[in-house]
């Protein structure tokens, strides 16, 4: 793969003039997201990293999947930064832990609780994982303009989907003692949701001197169930998520 970054399967030639990347976790969401841009076309695919490019208001925009969780996100962001990307918007799905945040709503992450391991490789735990204000504001303005219910606040980013998000509906049915009661504690502290990448992305952004933000479409309501909702509702939520995320580009000055 000469001329290509180590893992993501694309190089500077494919990235071209793009300086902003939209980052879904799921490779299948990449072509759907790129289709909301003009001139969408595939660039490459390697492991969990699928890349497409499109054009928005005359500017090239990259869409690349991170895979699930901090380690693969850190690889994706590092290699895209090497290739010239400076603004990163994670566009993912999430589980709400607050009654007021229903399925189908958007959560725009202002700061992330660092329940991951990868961010520790960029900054000590005392360092806060904070979103870029300009990108976050653009996501908020886009959601407002489209009338899609949205909440801005704190997200808990966990390395695990099951114990780290205190799910008992599992093979062992057991959550280690240090995580028992953690969901209630995060609720009490006003945390809106669980997902698995924002803390790594935001901490890396500070360490690398790049900008990052995160928006999540709510596909599980943990007050009601440990399970995500139906495939149909997930699909509808993802459509709105993509609409808001791409709409945010109109509220941004791309460098
Ligand atoms: N993603 C998560 O990490 N948790 C959920 O509950 C749903 C999506």
């Amino acid at each position: 793969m000469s001329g290509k970054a180590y893992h993501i399967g694309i190089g500077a030639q494919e990235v071209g003039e793009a300086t902003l990347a939209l980052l879904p976790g799921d490779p299948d969401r990449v072509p759907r997201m790129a289709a909301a841009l003009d001139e969408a076309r595939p660039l490459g695919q390697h492991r969990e990293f699928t890349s497409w490019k499109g054009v928005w208001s005359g500017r090239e925009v990259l869409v690349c999947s991170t895979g699930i969780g901090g380690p693969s996100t850190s690889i994706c962001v590092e290699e895209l930064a090497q290739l010239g990307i400076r603004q990163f918007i994670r566009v993912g799905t999430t589980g709400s832990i607050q009654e007021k945040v229903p399925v189908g709503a958007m959560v725009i992450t202002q700061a992330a609780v660092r329940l991951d391991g990868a961010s520790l490789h960029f900054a000590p735990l005392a360092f806060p994982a904070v979103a870029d204000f300009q990108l976050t504001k653009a996501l908020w303005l886009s959601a407002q303009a489209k009338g899609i219910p949205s909440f801005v606040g704190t997200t808990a980013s966990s390395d695990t989907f099951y114990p780290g998000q205190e799910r008992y509906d599992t093979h062992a049915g057991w959550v280690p003692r240090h995580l028992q009661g953690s969901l209630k504690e995060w609720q009490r502290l006003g945390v809106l949701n669980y997902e698995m990448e924002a803390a790594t992305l935001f901490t890396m952004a500070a360490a690398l001197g790049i900008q990052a933000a995160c928006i999540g479409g709510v596909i599980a309501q943990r007050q009601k169930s440990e399970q995500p909702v139906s495939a149909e509702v997930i699909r509808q939520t993802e459509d709105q998520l993509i609409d808001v995320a791409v709409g945010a580009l109109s509220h941004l000055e791309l460098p």
Side-chain angles (χ1 to χ4, degrees), residues 17-32:
E17 299 297 310
T19 56
L20 182 146
L22 301 173
L23 305 177
D26 181 355
D28 285 348
R29 238 181 281 138
V30 171
R32 281 171 66 198

Side-chain angles (χ1 to χ4, degrees), residues 6-211:
Y6 200 137
H7 299 87
I8 60 176
I10 58 171
Q13 197 180 339
E14 285 79 18
V15 171
E17 299 297 310
T19 56
L20 182 146
L22 301 173
L23 305 177
D26 181 355
D28 285 348
R29 238 181 281 138
V30 171
R32 281 171 66 198
M33 210 167 280
L37 304 167
D38 299 327
E39 300 172 41
R41 63 189 171 93
L43 297 179
Q45 194 279 321
H46 189 238
R47 293 175 177 255
E48 59 267 67
F49 309 110
T50 293
S51 301
W52 282 54
K53 198 158 74 170
V55 172
W56 187 260
S57 296
R59 312 291 295 258
E60 291 189 327
V61 173
L62 199 82
V63 185
C64 181
S65 54
T66 61
I68 294 177
S72 63
T73 299
S74 75
I75 289 171
C76 179
V77 171
E78 168 61 41
E79 294 184 5
L80 289 177
Q82 287 175 19
L83 299 175
I85 301 295
R86 296 292 176 265
Q87 295 181 312
F88 296 80
I89 304 180
R90 168 168 153 70
V91 186
T93 52
T94 186
S96 162
I97 61 170
Q98 297 287 347
E99 201 84 60
K100 67 178 183 188
V101 182
V103 166
M106 301 296 134
V107 176
I108 298 166
T109 302
Q110 209 170 16
V113 185
R114 292 173 59 190
L115 305 179
D116 66 325
S119 71
L120 288 168
H121 292 202
F122 295 93
L125 191 55
F127 187 81
V130 180
D132 176 76
F133 178 72
Q134 190 203 356
L135 295 181
T136 303
K137 185 174 152 203
L139 288 167
W140 170 249
L141 290 173
S142 173
Q144 291 292 102
K146 292 172 187 297
I148 295 174
S150 299
F151 299 80
V152 179
T154 308
T155 291
S157 298
S158 165
D159 260 353
T160 54
F161 186 79
Y162 293 99
Q165 301 186 19
E166 210 185 344
R167 283 186 158 91
Y168 293 89
D169 193 6
T170 57
H171 173 65
W174 182 77
V175 170
R177 201 170 45 168
H178 71 280
L179 291 168
Q180 289 176 23
S182 56
L183 190 151
K184 268 213 158 10
E185 188 163 17
W186 301 130
Q187 276 173 342
R188 176 70 184 76
L189 290 166
V191 172
L192 299 176
N193 62 320
Y194 281 125
E195 58 80 74
M196 301 178 67
E197 293 83 13
T200 305
L201 174 62
F202 293 176
T203 309
M204 274 190 87
L208 273 59
I210 55 180
Q211 292 173 276

